[in-house]
Each structure stands twice: as structure tokens, then as C-alpha cells.
Amino acid sequence: MDECGNAVVFTTWGEWLPAVVTEPRLRHMLGRDWQRYRRTEDPTVRLRFAAARLVLKHAAAAALETGAAELDLAYKIGGRPHLRGVSQVEVSLTHTDELIVVGLSRTGRLGVDAEPLSRVLSLDVMHSRVCTPGEQAALGAVDDPDLTAAMLRLWTLKEAYTKALGHGLRLPFTEFGVPRLAEGEIATNAREGLLAPDGAPAATGAWAFGAFRALDRYLVSVACHDTGPGARPESGGPGLCDEKSMSLVSRLLRQEPGPYLSSSPRGLEPTV
């Protein structure tokens, strides 16, 4: 965060289970999520829900150098999480199966999405509900062994972008395009950023994307917006997403899981 302005961290909910069941201040830590936690009948779902919120709060607290209990997690219209009274950091949260992923940014909005690599998507559904005409043609040119991975990247990249905006599935995926990335690649120029349905650059330089493996079982996709030096996240002004920022995302996602990870620009050693 200090060097690049954003970071993505991941862990498993099982690693945080002891923190959930032994935290004497759990009600205070969950804040306005306490009632939702209490209403969730399935005990496994309830514990995963609490673990994900604890991970987000502790990761944000590490970035802000404050206590996790001091942060109040709330939600904007559309469900996008935010830290009440904290305009310096944007947050994003996703979880699937055992994986929990948190995105943090002080340069603009950031969205994260994750899916198991084993998930199989329907090509017909992708064509009708997800792909722009250009993306339909691109998928048609992909060989069968790589088609499942290409569809999963496309789906999660679009999910990450709409989560960053706070629109979720209400924004039709056919109305915008994302770069054709291979796993581990990072969009670094205008033609690899956000695209219009016809494939032309839609917002030159403002958005960067990346898709990476975590734990060798999941695909994590990231969409990052940069509002420019000194701009506030909600201003929506134009900017250029620093290549260093997305390289940090890549390095973090290659590490082993932990409560949260950080990385220096010169090394890949995780620290807790």
C-alpha cells in the first residue's frame, strides 16, 4: 500500500475460524453485520460470513495502521462495502468455498472476484448474457482445452469490474468489454483496459485488470481504477493505473495463504 497504492490479500476461512469462535468482542467487531450473522441459520455459512468480515477489517486496519475494532464496515446501495468515515481507502471483498479475498486501494475503486478453477460455464450462456460481439469472436477462436479457462477469466474480470462500480449483476455484462488476459498477465496500456462493446478502448488508461491463481485451486480477478494523484476515490476523475500497483497484486497472489500478506517492491517474501 505504501509503495503502490493498492494490494490484494487472501486467506482461507478455516485459518480464521479460531478468531471467530474465540473473539470475545465478536458482536462489536461485526458491527452492523451482527444481525445478519445471527439470522444465518446454517452454522458453516454463518462462520464463513464472520470470518470474511474479520479478514477485511484486519487487512484494512493493517493498511491504515489502526485497530480492526475501530473500523465500521457498511454497504453502499448495490452492496459495495466501504469503511464508514474513512475516505482514504476503498475496499472489496469476495469469498468462494474456503477462499477469502480482500482488495484495498487508496488510488480509486477496486473490485475483486474469485471462482474455483473447476467451475464449468456454458458457452451458450456466455454468448447470450456475458460477451460483447468481439468477445464472442475471440472465444470462438480459442481451442477446446483452453476454452473453459478463457470463459472463467472473462466472467470473473467482469464481476470484478462491476463490483468495483457497486452495480453487481445489474450492469449488463454485454455492455462492456474487458481485456483478453492470460492468467498472470496485467493490462498495461489503453487497448488492454476497459473496452466498448465494439472492442474500442472505452476509458483510456483509467482501468487496469489482472487475473491470477490462488492456492492452485482458484482464479482471482482484479479490476483497479486510478483517480489520479491527490484525487479522492469518489471523484471519478481520469487517471492512469500504475503498472507497479498491479504487479504488487500479482506478487501477493503467488504467496502462500495467511491472515494477511504484504510485499516489498524488491522481494516476494510474505510478512504477517
Side-chain angles (χ1 to χ4, degrees), residues 51-244:
R53 271 66 191 172
L54 290 186
V55 172
L56 190 155
K57 282 197 170 185
H58 279 276
L64 292 165
E65 298 182 349
T66 188
E70 303 303 314
L71 300 177
D72 183 13
L73 181 63
Y75 303 89
K76 295 183 180 294
I77 295 175
R80 187 166 66 93
H82 71 103
L83 301 173
R84 284 175 58 88
V86 181
S87 62
Q88 304 97 311
V89 174
E90 292 278 326
V91 298
S92 183
L93 171 68
T94 189
H95 47 89
T96 181
D97 293 344
E98 63 176 327
L99 186 72
I100 299 171
V101 182
V102 171
L104 307 162
S105 175
R106 58 177 173 80
T107 64
R109 291 192 178 186
L110 181 143
V112 294
D113 187 61
E115 290 286 353
L117 288 168
S118 59
R119 180 175 180 182
V120 177
L121 300 171
S122 165
L123 182 59
D124 290 339
V125 172
M126 292 289 291
H127 275 192
S128 63
R129 301 182 184 179
V130 177
C131 297
T132 64
E135 290 165 344
Q136 291 181 20
L139 287 180
V142 176
D143 294 333
D144 285 343
D146 301 319
L147 184 58
T148 298
M151 289 193 294
L152 193 61
R153 282 196 302 276
L154 184 63
W155 171 262
T156 54
L157 285 168
K158 291 200 172 193
E159 281 270 24
Y161 173 68
T162 56
K163 285 181 178 180
L165 296 181
H167 294 309
L169 296 175
R170 293 175 301 162
L171 176 64
F173 282 9
T174 55
E175 295 299 312
F176 65 95
V178 293
R180 301 182 187 97
L181 298 175
E183 289 174 19
E185 289 186 347
I186 301 166
T188 56
N189 61 54
R191 291 197 170 275
E192 292 179 329
L194 188 66
L195 303 174
D198 63 0
T204 304
W207 288 90
F209 297 84
F212 311 92
R213 290 197 179 201
L215 305 179
D216 294 324
R217 299 188 297 280
Y218 301 97
L219 183 70
V220 176
S221 288
V222 185
C224 180
H225 183 263
D226 190 346
T227 55
R232 295 186 57 174
E234 294 296 332
S235 67
L240 199 59
C241 194
D242 185 351
E243 183 179 353
K244 283 199 309 180

Side-chain angles (χ1 to χ4, degrees), residues 27 29-40 49 53 57 72-75:
R27 181 170 186 168
M29 289 290 291
L30 291 181
R32 63 193 67 238
D33 281 323
W34 174 253
Q35 293 302 323
R36 182 176 171 186
Y37 168 78
R38 293 279 292 174
R39 290 195 305 266
T40 303
F49 174 84
R53 271 66 191 172
K57 282 197 170 185
D72 183 13
L73 181 63
Y75 303 89

